[in-house]
Amino acid sequence: MAETAARLVMDARRVDTTIKRIAHQIAEGAPEIDDLVLVSVGQSGLPLARRLDLALRTILEREIPLGVLDITLYRDDLTINSQPLIGETRLEFGIEKKTVILIDKVIFTGRTIRAALDALMEYGRPDLVRAAVLVDRGHRELPIRADFVGLWLDTVHDDAVRVTLDPMPSTSDRIEVVPGWARGQ
């Protein structure tokens, strides 16, 4: 039932165009291109980070450092008895005095970005941190926003936003909303 209830919000062509638009906004908004670095929030943001990296290389005609930041131990939903699965952080560059673009597919409550900010500060003090997301679905619980947004999407709190995204442009890329009732809630 969940598969038939999903509503397509953005197809592959629009996803690709939107990613390129976000990349242009990042390039235009970066104070110093030489100090720009991209950081994926965990593995979930990595396909978008790679796509933005690809687009920025074309726009800026240079490579932008790309890293992955694990936020598991910085989440506020861990309990004393939980056994969190710790991921890998790969920041093969310094972030001191850099403009860091934190990248995730969707911003919802703001708690993931908050955890990413806490984790990032363990690696240094950047001059500027901005967030880039493909979808902002609202329902914030913290006063956190994304600076670069592909799509603002009105959702019900129990809806799921499903982003299918490959590291390279693909015909399978899509954004869908699955109503909470269709997921059995």
Side-chain angles (χ1 to χ4, degrees):
M1 181 173 180
E3 290 300 316
T4 59
R7 176 174 55 96
L8 181 67
V9 177
M10 196 177 280
D11 63 12
R13 182 187 58 77
R14 283 194 55 217
V15 167
D16 190 53
T17 301
T18 300
I19 291 170
K20 289 175 182 171
R21 180 173 44 80
I22 294 169
H24 277 280
Q25 291 172 351
I26 291 170
E28 291 168 6
E32 283 294 326
I33 297 302
D34 292 336
D35 294 331
L36 183 65
V37 298
L38 305 177
V39 177
S40 169
V41 177
Q43 293 298 313
S44 70
L46 199 50
L48 178 58
R50 287 189 172 137
R51 295 278 290 275
L52 286 170
D53 180 47
L54 182 66
L56 283 165
R57 285 181 196 202
T58 302
I59 295 164
L60 302 173
E61 299 178 343
R62 65 182 295 278
E63 288 193 32
I64 304 295
L66 171 62
V68 179
L69 182 67
D70 179 67
I71 63 166
T72 305
L73 295 177
Y74 297 88
R75 298 194 54 89
D76 62 7
D77 56 357
L78 293 179
T79 64
I80 298 282
N81 299 325
S82 66
Q83 298 284 328
L85 182 58
I86 311 251
E88 179 183 12
T89 291
R90 285 178 312 208
L91 294 177
E92 298 169 359
F93 48 84
I95 63 165
E96 288 287 330
K97 300 189 187 281
K98 300 290 184 184
T99 295
V100 176
I101 308 295
L102 286 175
I103 301 168
D104 205 357
K105 293 185 292 191
V106 178
I107 187 169
F108 182 29
T109 63
R111 293 185 179 281
T112 299
I113 295 294
R114 191 233 15 108
L117 289 167
D118 289 349
L120 189 65
M121 295 309 147
E122 295 288 329
Y123 293 90
R125 187 176 187 280
D127 277 351
L128 181 63
V129 180
R130 294 202 168 150
V133 298
L134 197 51
V135 178
D136 183 334
R137 60 168 293 186
H139 304 283
R140 220 64 88 239
E141 294 174 3
L142 299 172
I144 292 175
R145 66 174 179 81
D147 301 281
F148 307 104
V149 178
L151 173 69
W152 282 271
L153 189 59
D154 286 329
T155 63
V156 174
H157 195 275
D158 289 340
D159 288 349
V161 174
R162 184 169 43 203
V163 177
T164 305
L165 190 63
D166 287 330
M168 298 294 286
S170 167
T171 56
S172 66
D173 293 340
R174 71 176 46 74
I175 299 172
E176 301 168 299
V177 173
V178 181
W181 61 267
R183 295 190 333 263
Q185 295 183 346

